Amino acid sequence: QVQLAESGGGAVQAGGSLRLSCAASGRTFSSYTMGWFRQGPGKEREFVAAISWSDSYTYYADSVKGRFTISRDNARNRVYLQMNSLKPEDTAVYYCAAVFRSTTMSRRGYDYWGQGTQVTVSS
């Protein structure tokens, strides 16, 4: 069982930056692929980025590639999402998710979810 808690959301102007953090409970954090998803107003939840459990390989949605960076600190049971050059279309609730010893970019593949943190980007 894994419990996830996101933090770091907020309001920022276009072109600005935010760093999201996700704290995970449990002793086997390093065995989980960690993902970030987002859900904008009236939209479905979509994949943003993931970092694999085995080799920390990273995956990104095309819409954030080159602007967002996912990283993990297994010693602290944390995963981060550094978001630069933010755009109004990045406005959404951002969710942290975890899946055990598997790597996927599909939201249906993740077993554990946080409550989300709001990111609002104004033009």
Side-chain angles (χ1 to χ4, degrees), residues 13-68:
Q13 289 191 330
S17 298
L18 282 173
R19 188 194 195 204
L20 304 184
S21 177
C22 174
S25 65
R27 295 177 294 177
T28 58
F29 177 76
S30 61
S31 294
Y32 287 83
T33 285
M34 302 301 296
W36 285 97
F37 290 76
R38 66 186 182 187
Q39 188 165 13
K43 298 182 181 179
E44 291 191 353
R45 194 170 298 188
E46 65 177 1
F47 171 77
V48 175
I51 185 164
S52 72
W53 69 277
S54 56
D55 56 6
S56 292
Y57 194 83
T58 56
Y59 305 82
Y60 296 96
D62 288 343
S63 59
V64 306
K65 204 170 292 184
R67 299 188 297 123
F68 291 11

Side-chain angles (χ1 to χ4, degrees), residues 37-48 63-64 67 87-95 107-108 113 118-119 121:
F37 290 76
R38 66 186 182 187
Q39 188 165 13
K43 298 182 181 179
E44 291 191 353
R45 194 170 298 188
E46 65 177 1
F47 171 77
V48 175
S63 59
V64 306
R67 299 188 297 123
K87 304 176 181 179
E89 50 263 44
D90 294 318
T91 295
V93 177
Y94 283 72
Y95 297 90
R107 61 178 177 166
R108 293 174 180 80
W113 293 85
Q118 176 71 47
V119 171
V121 184

Side-chain angles (χ1 to χ4, degrees), residues 75-120:
R76 300 186 65 190
N77 282 17
R78 287 185 180 268
V79 62
Y80 305 98
L81 185 68
Q82 177 66 43
M83 306 187 295
N84 298 329
S85 302
L86 283 161
K87 304 176 181 179
E89 50 263 44
D90 294 318
T91 295
V93 177
Y94 283 72
Y95 297 90
C96 175
V99 58
F100 184 71
R101 292 189 175 180
S102 177
T103 301
T104 177
M105 291 180 282
S106 170
R107 61 178 177 166
R108 293 174 180 80
Y110 286 80
D111 300 312
Y112 303 100
W113 293 85
Q115 294 299 307
T117 185
Q118 176 71 47
V119 171
T120 302

